[in-house]
Amino acid sequence: SELRRNPHINPTPGMLEPESDPYKPEDMMVGSFINVYGRDIFLYDCDDSTREFYRGYMGMEQEKMEIKDPELIHVKLTHPPHTGIGDELDSLGNCMRLMQKPPRRDYGRMLREGEKSLRFEAKIVNSGSEDVNRRFVVVVFLADDAISVWEKKARNS
């Protein structure tokens, strides 16, 4: 089928089809642009049989144009910053693989520090009058830097 200059829309019943305006050999010269389905295409070379055709048909010589490839620039990707939700190693694990593996644990540290923890008592600062008597326990486990927070039991008045 012919390559048209004008866009072609399949006609529906009762709609007239536009006149065909095909490309001709004079339009297909090396160094020129043609429009194919709304995109400009640059012609920079042709094969030997096409050169022979143009030599015999139009008495013109089609020369090859050299196109240089753009220099590739490698962009180094970095990990996104930690959002503060969960452990930073978990977030990095999500960036490294599709099927996440659990982060490696420091078993030596777990054996040395397994029974040790730091316990604190806390209260809410800048709270309403209903929160004045609430007390919390904050525990930091030294084996894996996990933090646990819970509220101490208080009698309901």
Side-chain angles (χ1 to χ4, degrees), residues 4-62:
R4 301 167 145 233
R5 282 184 209 239
N6 54 343
H8 174 66
I9 301 171
N10 288 337
T12 57
M15 184 175 161
L16 295 175
E17 185 174 356
E19 281 293 317
S20 175
D21 185 17
Y23 281 106
K24 297 179 178 79
E26 297 84 24
D27 301 323
M28 305 277 209
M29 300 296 295
V30 171
S32 65
F33 288 89
I34 62 170
N35 190 305
V36 179
Y37 296 113
R39 295 177 187 244
D40 287 332
I41 307 292
F42 179 68
L43 304 175
Y44 68 92
D45 196 9
C46 60
D47 61 0
D48 292 334
S49 63
T50 305
R51 282 193 181 88
E52 289 294 324
F53 170 78
Y54 273 92
R55 219 176 279 127
Y57 179 74
M58 296 178 63
M60 296 186 71
E61 193 66 37
Q62 295 273 34

Side-chain angles (χ1 to χ4, degrees), residues 98-151:
L98 189 59
M99 299 298 291
Q100 185 177 351
K101 289 184 177 179
R104 290 187 178 184
R105 297 184 179 217
D106 186 357
Y107 289 107
R109 181 177 174 193
M110 289 180 77
L111 289 173
R112 284 190 313 273
E113 312 288 345
E115 299 295 321
K116 298 178 183 174
S117 63
L118 304 174
R119 295 173 62 96
F120 302 94
E121 187 172 337
K123 68 177 184 173
I124 297 177
V125 180
N126 297 332
S127 64
S129 60
E130 65 275 358
D131 295 330
V132 170
N133 295 326
R134 293 178 73 188
R135 298 290 181 252
F136 298 89
V137 175
V138 178
V139 181
V140 178
F141 297 98
L142 298 178
D144 59 354
D145 293 332
I147 297 176
S148 178
V149 179
W150 67 87
E151 187 173 359

